[in-house]
Amino acid sequence: MRFGTTLRKTIYAPWKDKYVDYDKLKKLLKESDGGSSVEDDDDQWTADDESAFVDELLNVQLEKVHAFQADTYQKLRDRTTACESKLDPLAIGLKKDASDEGEVDAADKKLEVASQEREKILKEVLEELDKITKDVNELEKYCRINYTALYKATKKHDRKRGEAYKLRAFLDTRIAELPFNKEDYSPLLYRLSAMYSFVRQSLDGKTKESLSFADSHTGGESFTSYKFWVHPENLLEVKTVILRRLPVLVYNPQTSKVAEGFQRDPTLTSVYFDNPNFKLYTDKVNQAPDAASLRLRWYGQLADKPDILFEKKTITDGNSSEEQRFPIKEKYIEQFIKGKYKMEKSVQKIQNREGESSDSADNFQKAVDDIQAFIKENQLQPVLRANYTRTAFQIPGDDRVRISLDTDLALIREDAIDTERPCRDPEDWHRKDIDDASMEYPFSGIRKGEINRFPFALLEIKVKGYKKYEWVDDLMDSHLVKGAPRFSKFVHGVAMLFEDSVNSFPFWRSDVESDIRQEPQQAFEQEQDRKAKMAEEEFAVGSLFGTRPSGSYRPSISSPVSSPAGAGGKSLKDRISAGRSSLPYATSPTSKEDVAEEDLDNEDSQMPTAGLTKPSGIRSFLPSFSSSKYARAHQTPNARLPPGVSNPTSWIKDQGPVRVEAKVWLANQRTFIKWQHVAVLLASLSLGLFNAAGPSNNVARALAVAYTIVAVFTLVWGWAIYMIRAKMIKERSPKDFDNQIGPIVVCIGLVVALCLNFGFQYHAMLQRQEQKHSSAVQNTTLLEPQRIELL
């Protein structure tokens, strides 16, 4: 089906004027309805034609789509917030009904609604939620079809009118500036899902205890998967980060032998199925319900007779998946695809081993029947091959964290759709020119249009359960990786190799040819903004059910890889302060496609700044003297807490018995001993100076007394600080341990004493010189009369 026809059928009537005017672009491109270009002698392609087309495509149409997407999404958020406001009084009234004490504040009583109005509000909100959900789905389709339309028009230009220059790079740059295709609707859908749950359960008359939306999302031991792209320059650093925590999982095809240390990482080959209309691809890109994919997968070269698995994966509600798989020998694959072989021998072997009515035999037979029926129903055939090298990281026997790193990904056409030039023999299920020659990456023998080499490595992290791992979060939040939550090798390969045959592209397609490397500070700021936005959405969900989510998200003060003061520190501080003032403690369980929250184990080590008292004493004038966390916290303005949130009266760290490490006590004692050492030195100096001065040297005796006073102050100060800090340690005080008053007083006293000593000595020296001069003059006067008499 031609794309123009697909676009006309996809248009959502209320937004008809907001779509890309594809017909106008074709007219500017001077292409007739039949698809051929109009190039008469009197109507050649000119520079003015080029300018008009480029301006219409990259400015008018792209800006129209971006503006409408941003405006519509904001309106959907506002409508969602309005629904939550309508439900808030109902949530408060429900809290009163479930309260054991039966007492509520006067403000809560005013918000209660009559029972007859309650059902009316719930039904109105439910109707509005249906409309919002429909508009969200339509907006996602709107973005995808317009994204495809822009690329289709650009490709037509580059193929027919691109003699001077190609527009593809310009389009990628403009889309990066106006990223209407980057919006993630998952947080909004999460809020809608929470309200759906609340409204429907309230209409069913369920109690407060049953309205626990968060609990329904905390399933036990399921895996949460995160996908990323890794630039080749960051590949080694990513590997070293992982290897500090997880060893390489060595794969050995010969399980009866011991794996050797020099064994190479295995290569995996997957052959994906689809039909000439690419139905499976379209369903997967458009996130259709029960979208399924089918593939054959094996390790190593096919000539080595590896185990081959037939795998069918179906996406169900909530982004979870169901898989069916069974092993099959190479010689039976073609007959199985044609429906002439139903794996009778394998089924019989299982029945003989475990019994005819065993669960294993029944599950195997069901998987065989379902996959064979799936192939026949959709007329599937092999269309794409994905070959890559996989490095797996996992602690043997511990699958709580599993990481795979795929490199050297090559996507190769495996189809026989073009009967005139088929890539594969239509009578065989795979390309023998690749497998018989045992080709390896970079597959230099494959023709240019039949292969696409993915420029990045693929990182997938699977975490079991809901425990948080700090090093995993640090890796996912770093500049070393770029998030690609819905990336699929099958979807990407079809989009790149069969772009003329499909009418829908994945959003990440424009990022493949861009430089995904980021500065550490830039990546840190973007991650903080994304987490703050996610926390805002989750805060709304928690407030709806009457229980605020736990405060695991708090904006970080600085990047773990660079200081914000080096690049954009001021703007980052302002942004973090704004995040604190709006949502300092809001969070909720993460979805499977989102980045995990910060590690809960680090809560005690991060001192909240909300509600701290203002600094007093010398810190208020010289706050930069101290570099501690507490002193830095004094330099930030107090955060404004949202309504309903108050400063905590006690901290988790203050609970339980006092347990102080020995090094803390020893550090305090070591500081006290240093102070006493300085006091002893000063006292020895003053005593020696006093004894050497004698009764006639008043200056030296006065300086000795001054040094003695400084020594006594040093002794008293050291003892007082030792006792104060010991008390603070026992009380687990969050106050600052730094105090600059004592060192400053001692230094100033010594400097003043030394200056006075120098001044007095210099003055005494001048007096001695004057006395000598006056004595010489007197002697000369006395000798002069005697000399005259002699003459």
Side-chain angles (χ1 to χ4, degrees), residues 19 177 331:
Y19 285 77
E177 296 173 355
K331 60 182 179 180

PDB file of all heavy atoms in Angstrom, residues 19 177 331:
ATOM      1  N   TYR A  19      -1.994  17.399  10.514  1.00  0.00           N
ATOM      2  CA  TYR A  19      -1.063  16.407   9.981  1.00  0.00           C
ATOM      3  C   TYR A  19      -0.161  17.038   8.927  1.00  0.00           C
ATOM      4  O   TYR A  19      -0.432  18.125   8.396  1.00  0.00           O
ATOM      5  CB  TYR A  19      -1.825  15.235   9.367  1.00  0.00           C
ATOM      6  CG  TYR A  19      -2.429  14.294  10.377  1.00  0.00           C
ATOM      7  CD1 TYR A  19      -3.593  14.621  11.058  1.00  0.00           C
ATOM      8  CD2 TYR A  19      -1.838  13.082  10.665  1.00  0.00           C
ATOM      9  CE1 TYR A  19      -4.155  13.768  11.991  1.00  0.00           C
ATOM     10  CE2 TYR A  19      -2.381  12.210  11.593  1.00  0.00           C
ATOM     11  CZ  TYR A  19      -3.548  12.561  12.262  1.00  0.00           C
ATOM     12  OH  TYR A  19      -4.080  11.702  13.175  1.00  0.00           O
ATOM     13  N   GLU A 177      16.198  19.291  17.185  1.00  0.00           N
ATOM     14  CA  GLU A 177      15.836  20.573  17.782  1.00  0.00           C
ATOM     15  C   GLU A 177      14.366  20.626  18.173  1.00  0.00           C
ATOM     16  O   GLU A 177      14.002  21.289  19.158  1.00  0.00           O
ATOM     17  CB  GLU A 177      16.133  21.703  16.786  1.00  0.00           C
ATOM     18  CG  GLU A 177      17.621  21.855  16.457  1.00  0.00           C
ATOM     19  CD  GLU A 177      17.850  22.859  15.347  1.00  0.00           C
ATOM     20  OE1 GLU A 177      16.849  23.359  14.781  1.00  0.00           O
ATOM     21  OE2 GLU A 177      19.030  23.155  15.031  1.00  0.00           O
ATOM     22  N   LYS A 331      17.373 -30.189   9.789  1.00  0.00           N
ATOM     23  CA  LYS A 331      16.781 -30.891   8.648  1.00  0.00           C
ATOM     24  C   LYS A 331      15.255 -30.880   8.682  1.00  0.00           C
ATOM     25  O   LYS A 331      14.613 -31.152   7.671  1.00  0.00           O
ATOM     26  CB  LYS A 331      17.290 -32.324   8.604  1.00  0.00           C
ATOM     27  CG  LYS A 331      16.956 -33.139   9.851  1.00  0.00           C
ATOM     28  CD  LYS A 331      17.544 -34.544   9.765  1.00  0.00           C
ATOM     29  CE  LYS A 331      17.251 -35.365  11.020  1.00  0.00           C
ATOM     30  NZ  LYS A 331      17.841 -36.731  10.922  1.00  0.00           N
TER      31      LYS A 331
END
